[in-house]
Amino acid sequence: MLKTPYLLFLGDVPDPLAAKVATGIHDWRPEHCVGQYRLEGCKADLGLDDMTIAEAKEAGAKTLVVGAANRGGVISQSWRAVFMEAVEAGMDVAAGLHDHLVDIAELKQAADEAGTELFDVRVPQVKYPIANGKKRTGKRCLAVGTDCSVGKMYTTLAIDKAMKAAGRKSSFRATGQTGILITGEGVPLDAVVADFMAGAVEWLTPDNDADHWDIIEGQGSLFHASFSGVTMALVHGGQPDALVLCHEPTRTHMRGLPDYELPSLEALRDMALSLARVVNPACEVTGISINTAGLSPEDARTYLKEVEERMGLPTVDPFRDGGERLAEGLTG
Amino acid sequence: MLKTPYLLFLGDVPDPLAAKVATGIHDWRPEHCVGQYRLEGCKADLGLDDMTIAEAKEAGAKTLVVGAANRGGVISQSWRAVFMEAVEAGMDVAAGLHDHLVDIAELKQAADEAGTELFDVRVPQVKYPIANGKKRTGKRCLAVGTDCSVGKMYTTLAIDKAMKAAGRKSSFRATGQTGILITGEGVPLDAVVADFMAGAVEWLTPDNDADHWDIIEGQGSLFHASFSGVTMALVHGGQPDALVLCHEPTRTHMRGLPDYELPSLEALRDMALSLARVVNPACEVTGISINTAGLSPEDARTYLKEVEERMGLPTVDPFRDGGERLAEGLTG
């Protein structure tokens, strides 16, 4: 969908965290990144060569990817000027901003005239089918979380990387905007119309080689009152053979829901398996991914060991340990 | 949302089943129906007075409601002519057709000029919030099914009717197009964007009197691979105090999914309760509604009795028995 390689636009972000999309792209797909574009005052730096649009074009960049969050949701004049320059140089522009690129009239007109494309990756680009529930060839692994934002994308990217490093057939399947910008394709599931959610997931993970694994990025949580329907569509549309449970142990309540406690890993396991087995009776939980960023290295070790013994499943923090042990859990 | 009373448009449907939306409106809200409008060759008849647009206008009709399914999905010239006449007479037009009224350019223009409204009830009219999961005052009952199209709308309308007949505070809350046309308001949940599904259900069932019951129309099934995400949003957005299980005993496989068997009532009870208790730990299953249209009266009796004894819950076919026993299950 998105043409590689990319020039990563960092804008004038006030801190590195505001450029986390660009950081993710650079971490997971360094081969797609020819350089970075920074405006005056930018406080992020990926260590890539700083390039002008002309230099990036010369270096082969096909798409300017907006890897920064904009303040207040409004795309500023200084950002627009860079996007215009990219379009006029014949580059596509891709972003996952709340404000859409295609709604900037002058930019849209310039892109039409230059024959380049504007990709708002939050906006579904495909007319997805209604799910048919038919058994598909190939294997699928889905990350499910006790909560939102506990590391499901990181976990699935790490598993995909470990699979490929082991010479196995694997595809990371993005279901959110950052994942889509990282891999250049995917389904922005939370923006899909309700009736077509599960069908979009089936579309994303079609028939494949018997020994190929789709590693599907999770969304939301079956226990999150705001977004559980999206998670449900992933469980039933994804038809997973394997589930990896994701958890963040220092969270005191569900994200955005102060009145809700997180479920236990056991409760997540039982609920997710019951639901997944409706579409795939052979589904198993094959591993556990813990985001231990909030723990000291020693406490993280202790916690991972305790969970591994309690649950009887390989338990890692893929940020500290990589995804190898979780990938090894995907057999067949 | 829709202005009452209605003139029900039956068009030129080839059989009564094709006018089932009009039949539903007339069955459940006879007080909203001033007459029917039929074209030549119409094979449906609700027993209402046949009226021209002028006669209906004279009788006080505010909205022409399209209660018929159109053949091939295309709105024919003969239908358009009637809609135009209604608009020019100052009436709103409401429909749940696949083709939208607002996309008929001449009709839209005529409505704008006449100051009347076109309601496509399949299209969300509200910018729904993201669900916040906060406990709301008042009580809520949700119908959940072993499958799609097993009688959830009929069941909830019957419960609402029985509640009102008993002098209790109750609101039927429509979540599908037919339900919306019957009551004049609601949420077309299957057309809502994924992230806002649960929020739309919260919006539909706000704080209310402590002894008021929202009787929420269900959609899909937790066990239906195509639409389970929509059902999940109802369970978590609806925050039900009571669940009524709905089932059709002659169904040999899930609707539209030939490879899937229906779950048992026990499996539905356990799954739906586990999920509902995430948002409302006090939730209980209070009754069972069986669509026995495919059984003889005697077999229906036997089946209802067997289920009632096995499940230990009031079990009725509301079409044969009314909704009284299910309403009695809603206490407090």
Side-chain angles (χ1 to χ4, degrees), chain A residues 131 133 190 192 194-195 226 228 236 260, chain B residues 131 133 190 192 194-195 226 228 236 260:
Chain A
D190 59 13
V192 172
D195 248 3
S226 312
S228 53
H236 280 170
Y260 289 81
Chain B
D190 60 13
V192 172
D195 248 2
S226 311
S228 53
H236 280 171
Y260 289 81

Side-chain angles (χ1 to χ4, degrees), chain A residues 80 83-91 93 100-118 120:
Chain A
R80 290 175 188 220
F83 303 170
M84 282 294 283
E85 197 186 340
V87 162
E88 285 161 1
M91 288 167 64
V93 182
H100 297 155
L101 298 172
V102 297
D103 292 337
I104 305 174
E106 56 172 358
L107 186 64
K108 179 73 172 71
Q109 192 185 334
D112 288 346
E113 283 168 13
T116 66
E117 296 203 67
L118 304 177
D120 291 294

